[in-house]
Amino acid sequence: MIDKVALLVLAGKVFALPVTGIEHILDGPRTFLLPLMPEGYSGVFLYRDEVTPILNLSRVLGISGTAEEDVPPLTVLYGCDSGLVGLPVDTVLRVVDRAKGSEERGAEGEDQGGPRHFVYEGTRYPLLDIEAQVASLPR
């Protein structure tokens, strides 16, 4: 199997995810806020009758000033050891073979879900480690 990377956009910020963790891409599901929602999550939605948390990617990507009513049109369903998590996304740019790009370490102090970037056609995409992001959140 060829290793692939999805190139995505949220609020004008580009990022990349390994395709191996992507279970499904949904049209923005109806989301709900829960009382005492753990920090790092922005809500939950129902997927196959299971409550699925939505990771606050705005925080991970350093996006500020997003209004609560600015609900992204897509949700990437991503599989982690702890279960499925939703990732809000505005656009899926493309899915590319990892071999057609390169990976590099981020600059000192850069940490957006892991200090790696996927470089494709001259653009640096933070390569997010969702597993590490979820594991670092308070339970």
Side-chain angles (χ1 to χ4, degrees), residues 38-120:
E39 184 180 336
Y41 294 102
S42 59
V44 297
F45 65 99
L46 289 174
Y47 179 72
R48 296 187 178 161
D49 296 327
E50 294 288 326
V51 175
T52 305
I54 301 172
L55 187 65
N56 185 346
L57 274 186
S58 293
R59 186 183 74 126
V60 172
L61 294 170
I63 299 168
S64 60
T66 55
E68 216 171 277
E69 60 272 4
D70 293 342
V71 178
L74 301 171
T75 298
V76 172
L77 201 57
Y78 200 87
C80 297
D81 287 343
S82 58
L84 294 174
V85 64
L87 307 172
V89 174
D90 289 327
T91 307
V92 176
L93 296 174
R94 64 178 18 153
V95 174
V96 299
D97 293 340
R98 194 177 284 241
K100 291 190 177 184
S102 63
E103 287 188 36
E104 61 182 41
R105 291 275 179 205
E108 190 65 36
E110 248 180 12
D111 184 13
Q112 301 182 52
R116 296 181 310 157
H117 289 79
F118 181 74
V119 181
Y120 180 74

